């Protein structure tokens, strides 16, 4: 079980590094509360949602949550 958790952590860390591509821009969240704050949402493996703030020079990851917890 520990090996599975370590693999998941490594995979998500690699995915975070891919998000840093300056050629990409991400969509604003569909959830009204997060959209009002200007957050952007990205799905990860259809089970999780990454909520972030995107600027010209950096990406700040605010939340990593289960997609089931989002209410529209």
């Amino acid at each position: 079980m520990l090996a599975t958790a370590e693999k998941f952590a490594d995979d998500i860390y690699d995915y975070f590094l891919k998000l840093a591509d300056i050629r990409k821009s991400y969509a604003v969240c569909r959830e009204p509360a997060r959209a009002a704050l200007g957050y952007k949402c990205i799905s990860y493996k259809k089970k999780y949602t990454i909520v972030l703030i995107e600027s010209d020079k950096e990406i700040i990851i605010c939340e990593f949550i289960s997609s089931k917890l989002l209410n529209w």
Side-chain angles (χ1 to χ4, degrees):
M1 187 172 251
L2 181 60
T4 303
E6 287 177 357
K7 182 179 179 332
F8 179 79
D10 289 342
D11 289 346
I12 193 63
Y13 183 75
D14 292 339
Y15 189 75
F16 288 160
L17 291 176
K18 289 179 187 177
L19 293 178
D21 188 358
I22 60 172
R23 296 173 289 173
K24 291 184 181 179
S25 183
Y26 302 101
V28 175
C29 295
R30 290 189 282 171
E31 187 179 21
R34 287 182 175 87
L37 295 171
Y39 289 159
K40 300 190 176 187
C41 293
I42 303 165
S43 178
Y44 178 70
K45 293 189 177 184
K46 297 183 182 180
K47 291 176 68 177
Y48 304 100
T49 299
I50 301 167
V51 181
L52 55 94
I53 299 171
E54 180 182 29
S55 70
D56 294 339
K57 295 184 179 182
E58 66 183 354
I59 291 178
I60 301 169
I61 298 171
C62 301
E63 295 178 272
F64 182 80
I65 55 176
S66 172
S67 295
K68 293 178 182 180
L69 297 176
L70 294 177
N71 298 318
W72 302 331

